[in-house]
Amino acid sequence: MYRATEAELKQYDELGFFVREDVFSEDEIEAMRSGAENVHAQILDAASRPGADPIDQVDNQKYQRVLGSMIKWEWDDELRAVRSMEPTGHLDARLEVVIDDPRLHQPVASINGCDRLSVFSDKLNVKRPGGAPFPWHQEGLYWENGAEDLASVVSTLTYLDDATKANGCLWVIPASHKQGNLQGLCDRGVLGALYTDVALLDGEALAVELRAGSVLYFHRDLVHGSQVNRTEASRRVFVIAYQSGGLHRWNLDQKREVVTSRL
Ligand SMILES: O=C(O)CCC(=O)C(=O)O
């Protein structure tokens, strides 16, 4: 019923992404926003308790394992905010339920041809006012160590807020997925190898400005990133990557099948 159309599959193949607008209603998105804020608050609280795991700093990125989620702190300590949390579904049912929504995963099954799906990763990105950019990168490079069936992995990014250039919407470089793994940056520390040197790429970057409730489907090798949030409101997204059925989540000793009974 919600499977990808021929035109969407063609665009995915040629450009590495397609968009579906207004997949979720305002009420559904409001529930996801409440879930996201609840998860963020739980994590801040747990991170400040005695006995919390230590922060591991690599270049300017600060990582910490909190409540079963690998979190990345905002670059600016003053913000006291967490910009990325993975996984998060286990911390709030309003997020977990989204994973099994056929409006989200049926197009994925059309893309990768799988009749069963499992979760590869689920991640919440919360970009507060002043929240830092995500440098240009490709997911495939991060994931190639540890994925059990990388070729089947497809990412979905659900917008919980209207996303604009001003609040740091996602940018993509159309068709960059065709080039496979691209060269990283030599002058950006340890993590530079995972950031794409876009100076070596042809093609104009495209800002994916969308209303809340819309979904972007994208290929693991599509070069993408986002800029600082220059507004006074948060820009939140819920990013779920699916893979073929029966496999472990990325970096976790857990499996999470997608419930497809509503197909
Ligand atoms: O949320 C964003 O702006 C960036 C998302 C992204 O690139 C990622 O999570 O890998």
Side-chain angles (χ1 to χ4, degrees):
M1 189 175 170
Y2 301 108
R3 294 188 75 94
T5 64
E6 285 303 314
E8 287 171 333
L9 291 175
K10 186 163 180 283
Q11 187 184 333
Y12 188 90
D13 186 44
E14 289 176 357
L15 302 182
F17 69 97
F18 65 83
V19 160
R20 281 201 178 172
E21 293 186 271
D22 305 323
V23 172
F24 296 101
S25 69
E26 179 53 32
D27 285 353
E28 290 170 321
I29 286 296
E30 192 48 43
M32 288 184 222
R33 287 186 198 121
S34 302
E37 291 305 327
N38 175 38
V39 168
H40 191 275
Q42 285 182 61
I43 283 180
L44 277 191
D45 178 56
S48 64
R49 286 175 187 268
D53 278 11
I55 293 177
D56 188 14
Q57 178 147 4
V58 184
D59 302 333
N60 61 348
Q61 302 264 20
K62 296 180 203 75
Y63 302 89
Q64 192 174 8
R65 183 159 286 285
V66 183
L67 297 179
S69 186
M70 180 54 80
I71 68 162
K72 282 189 209 162
W73 288 96
E74 263 302 342
W75 297 2
D76 179 355
D77 291 339
E78 304 259 302
L79 290 178
R80 181 79 188 142
V82 177
R83 69 201 236 98
S84 184
M85 296 147 259
E86 178 179 9
T88 49
H90 64 294
L91 295 174
D92 195 291
R94 290 165 290 193
L95 296 179
E96 182 73 6
V97 73
V98 178
I99 291 172
D100 298 312
D101 195 306
R103 291 169 294 176
L104 191 63
H105 64 68
Q106 275 194 11
V108 170
S110 309
I111 295 167
N112 64 13
C114 297
D115 51 9
R116 285 173 47 222
L117 296 173
S118 58
V119 176
F120 183 72
S121 76
D122 75 90
K123 175 169 65 172
L124 187 61
N125 291 344
V126 171
K127 201 183 278 194
R128 298 297 193 203
F134 281 76
W136 292 112
H137 64 281
Q138 299 171 299
E139 315 290 38
L141 260 182
Y142 282 85
W143 292 340
E144 62 184 6
N145 293 321
E148 293 171 328
D149 182 10
L150 187 57
S152 72
V153 179
V154 175
S155 293
T156 68
L157 186 146
T158 300
Y159 286 79
L160 307 194
D161 300 288
D162 294 348
T164 62
K165 288 179 192 161
N167 72 6
C169 70
L170 201 78
W171 289 71
V172 301
I173 303 191
S176 51
H177 69 301
K178 296 211 168 197
Q179 305 193 36
N181 286 353
L182 289 158
Q183 189 173 318
L185 298 170
C186 311
D187 57 352
R188 289 285 292 276
V190 176
L191 294 171
L194 295 170
Y195 299 148
T196 311
D197 187 352
V198 289
L200 302 175
L201 266 182
D202 290 334
E204 287 278 299
L206 176 78
V208 189
E209 292 187 289
L210 287 172
R211 280 189 297 277
S214 305
V215 178
L216 173 76
Y217 292 84
F218 66 105
H219 188 282
R220 65 188 176 281
D221 289 331
L222 185 74
V223 176
H224 63 285
S226 63
Q227 297 174 356
V228 70
N229 181 356
R230 291 180 276 105
T231 69
E232 294 305 315
S234 296
R235 192 240 58 182
R236 293 158 290 191
V237 294
F238 190 35
V239 189
I240 302 172
Y242 295 95
Q243 62 184 346
S244 48
L247 305 179
H248 287 94
R249 284 171 175 260
W250 187 59
N251 268 345
L252 290 177
D253 189 20
Q254 285 170 15
K255 294 182 180 178
R256 164 65 162 86
E257 289 304 292
V258 173
V259 179
T260 52
S261 56
R262 287 196 283 156
L263 275 177

